[in-house]
C-alpha cells in the first residue's frame, strides 16, 4: 500500500521508517529539503495512486488546519486524509466538513508511543467512518505494536473520537507522572532511605505500580541519580488543559489530573504571588513572621 506522510519530525520520521519496514511505500513531504522525499504537496499527490491515503503529522492548531486546507486543493474525491497529530478534537469536525465538500474522507487518529514507537509500535485511537478506517487499516496495522490488534488499535467512534481519546490518555499520563514524581521527592526527603534509585528500580517487577513510565524514570535515574542536571520546570503541551476543561464541561470530577496540571504551572513560577498573599494575610491576622525580599 502507498502512504503520503506530511511532517517528518521526530514522530513523523520514525513513522515513515516503521511503515516502510512493514513493506509499504511511503512518500514523505517536509519543508526541510534534507528529509523530504518530494518538493511540494502537489508533488506528493502526483506521486500517489488513487485512492490516496495521506497522513498529516504536523503541529496542532493553525499548521494542521492550513495543511488540510491545502490538501483539499491537491487531492481528489475518494482520497483520505488522516490527522495523526495532537489536534484538539473540536478541530476535527470542521476539517472533515471542509474535505467532504471535495469528496475527500477524513480520519482523526491519536498516536501514542513517542520516540520509542519506531521499534515498539504506536498505540492508535481512530475516529471516522467504517469505510475510511478499513481503507487505512494496513497502515494502522503497520504502525501499531505486534500482537492482537485490539491491544494496540481502537476504532474509538466517529470523527473526533480519536483525538478525544488521545486527549484523555494524555491527561491520565499527567496524573501518573505526577504521582511517580511526588513519590520520588518523598523518598529523597527521607533520611531513612539511603538509595532512592535502587528503591525505585525495585518497583519494576512484581509491584502494582510497575509500568513503562516507571521504567523511563529508572532510566533517567540511572544516568542522573538525583536529577541534578535538570531544572524543575515543566511545560504542558495542551492536552492536559483540554482534559480538565472537558471534565468541567461533562461535570466529571478529575482532581488528580487537575492537580497534576496545576503542579506544572507552579513549576514555572520563580515566586508565587498567591503564596505572597497568603503570607501577608497570616501576618495581618496573626502577626506571623514573614520573609521579605
Amino acid at each position: 500500500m502507498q502512504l503520503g506522510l506530511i511532517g517528518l519530525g521526530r514522530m513523523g520520521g520514525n513513522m515513515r521508517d516503521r511503515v516502510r519496514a512493514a513493506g509499504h511505500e511511503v512518500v514523505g513531504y517536509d519543508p526541510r529539503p534534507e528529509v523530504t522525499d518530494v518538493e511540494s504537496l502537489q508533488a506528493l499527490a502526483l506521486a500517489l495512486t488513487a485512492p490516496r491515503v495521506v497522513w498529516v503529522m504536523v503541529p496542532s492548531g493553525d499548521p494542521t488546519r492550513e495543511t488540510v486546507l491545502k490538501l483539499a486543493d491537491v487531492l481528489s474525491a475518494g482520497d483520505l486524509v488522516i490527522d495523526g497529530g495532537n489536534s484538539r478534537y473540536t478541530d476535527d469536525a470542521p476539517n472533515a466538513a471542509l474535505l467532504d465538500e471535495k469528496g475527500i474522507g477524513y480520519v482523526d487518529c491519536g498516536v501514542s508511543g513517542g520516540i520509542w514507537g519506531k521499534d515498539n509500535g504506536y498505540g492508535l485511537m481512530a475516529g471516522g467512518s467504517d469505510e475510511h478506517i478499513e481503507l487505512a487499516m494496513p497502515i494502522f496495522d503497520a504502525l501499531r505494536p505486534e500482537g492482537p490488534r485490539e491491544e494496540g488499535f481502537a476504532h474509538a467512534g466517529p470523527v473526533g473520537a480519536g483525538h478525544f481519546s488521545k486527549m484523555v490518555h494524555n491527561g491520565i499520563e499527567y496524573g501518573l507522572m505526577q504521582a511517580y514524581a511526588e513519590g520520588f521527592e518523598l523518598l529523597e526527603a527521607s533520611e531513612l532511605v539511603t538509595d532512592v534509585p535502587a528503591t525505585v528500580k525495585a518497583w519494576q517487577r512484581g509491584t502494582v505500580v510497575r509500568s513503562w513510565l516507571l521504567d523511563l524514570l529508572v532510566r533517567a535515574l540511572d544516568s542522573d541519580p538525583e536529577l541534578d542536571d535538570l531544572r524543575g520546570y515543566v511545560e504542558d503541551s495542551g492536552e492536559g488543559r483540554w482534559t480538565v476543561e472537558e471534565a468541567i464541561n461533562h461535570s466529571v470530577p478529575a482532581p488528580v489530573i487537575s492537580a497534576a496540571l496545576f503542579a506544572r504551572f507552579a513549576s514555572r513560577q520563580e515566586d508565587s504571588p498567591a503564596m505572597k498573599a497568603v503570607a501577608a494575610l497570616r501576618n495581618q491576622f496573626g502577626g506571623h513572621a514573614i520573609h521579605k525580599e
Side-chain angles (χ1 to χ4, degrees):
M1 180 173 177
Q2 287 183 314
L3 176 70
L5 181 57
I6 301 171
L8 301 172
R10 285 178 298 177
M11 286 279 283
N14 283 342
M15 291 169 67
R16 175 174 62 175
D17 292 344
R18 185 172 177 87
V19 174
R20 282 177 174 171
H24 301 290
E25 179 185 351
V26 182
V27 180
Y29 169 71
D30 191 282
R32 297 169 298 161
E34 67 271 18
V35 297
T36 195
D37 298 321
V38 292
E39 295 182 352
S40 65
L41 293 181
Q42 179 70 49
L44 181 140
L46 292 173
L48 301 173
T49 303
R52 304 171 185 87
V53 176
V54 178
W55 190 298
V56 179
M57 208 66 187
V58 302
S60 62
D62 287 340
T64 294
R65 286 189 286 268
E66 291 168 4
T67 301
V68 170
L69 186 62
K70 292 175 182 177
L71 286 174
D73 290 331
V74 300
L75 297 180
S76 305
D79 292 344
L80 174 65
V81 172
I82 302 172
D83 176 12
N86 278 331
S87 295
R88 191 164 189 173
Y89 80 96
T90 51
D91 287 346
D92 291 318
N95 285 341
L98 172 70
L99 293 170
D100 186 59
E101 292 178 0
K102 302 289 185 72
I104 302 167
Y106 180 86
V107 166
D108 60 290
C109 186
V111 180
S112 179
I115 60 176
W116 304 90
K118 177 180 176 180
D119 297 322
N120 298 337
Y122 300 90
L124 306 171
M125 300 138 268
S129 70
D130 291 342
E131 174 189 359
H132 293 147
I133 295 295
E134 189 61 31
L135 177 61
M137 190 57 73
I139 302 302
F140 293 140
D141 281 340
L143 288 170
R144 66 175 177 82
E146 295 181 5
R149 178 184 289 167
E150 62 270 18
E151 293 181 8
F153 171 82
H155 181 188
V159 166
H163 282 144
F164 191 95
S165 300
K166 180 57 163 49
M167 175 193 70
V168 175
H169 164 283
N170 283 26
I172 293 170
E173 181 183 300
Y174 276 49
L176 290 171
M177 287 193 288
Q178 187 65 28
Y180 284 129
E182 292 174 9
F184 169 76
E185 182 170 357
L186 184 54
L187 290 171
E188 282 279 300
S190 170
E191 296 179 356
L192 286 174
V193 181
T194 58
D195 194 338
V196 172
T199 301
V200 175
K201 183 174 288 191
W203 295 346
Q204 286 184 280
R205 295 182 183 273
T207 75
V208 296
V209 297
R210 65 188 185 275
S211 74
W212 186 58
L213 283 175
L214 178 66
D215 293 342
L216 294 179
L217 177 57
V218 168
R219 185 173 182 267
L221 293 173
D222 281 343
S223 61
D224 185 4
E226 296 184 354
L227 302 182
D228 289 333
D229 294 339
L230 299 175
R231 183 180 165 209
Y233 183 103
V234 185
E235 296 282 4
D236 67 286
S237 56
E239 295 91 340
R241 296 180 188 228
W242 302 340
T243 304
V244 172
E245 290 175 7
E246 290 302 319
I248 294 169
N249 292 339
H250 290 82
S251 300
V252 172
V256 171
I257 297 173
S258 300
L261 175 65
F262 296 152
R264 295 192 181 196
F265 295 166
S267 80
R268 305 198 289 264
Q269 291 183 308
E270 293 291 343
D271 199 2
S272 169
M275 289 301 99
K276 286 183 178 182
V278 171
L281 287 167
R282 292 182 76 247
N283 178 255
Q284 290 291 323
F285 71 67
H288 298 290
I290 56 176
H291 298 267
K292 293 197 173 185
E293 296 283 0

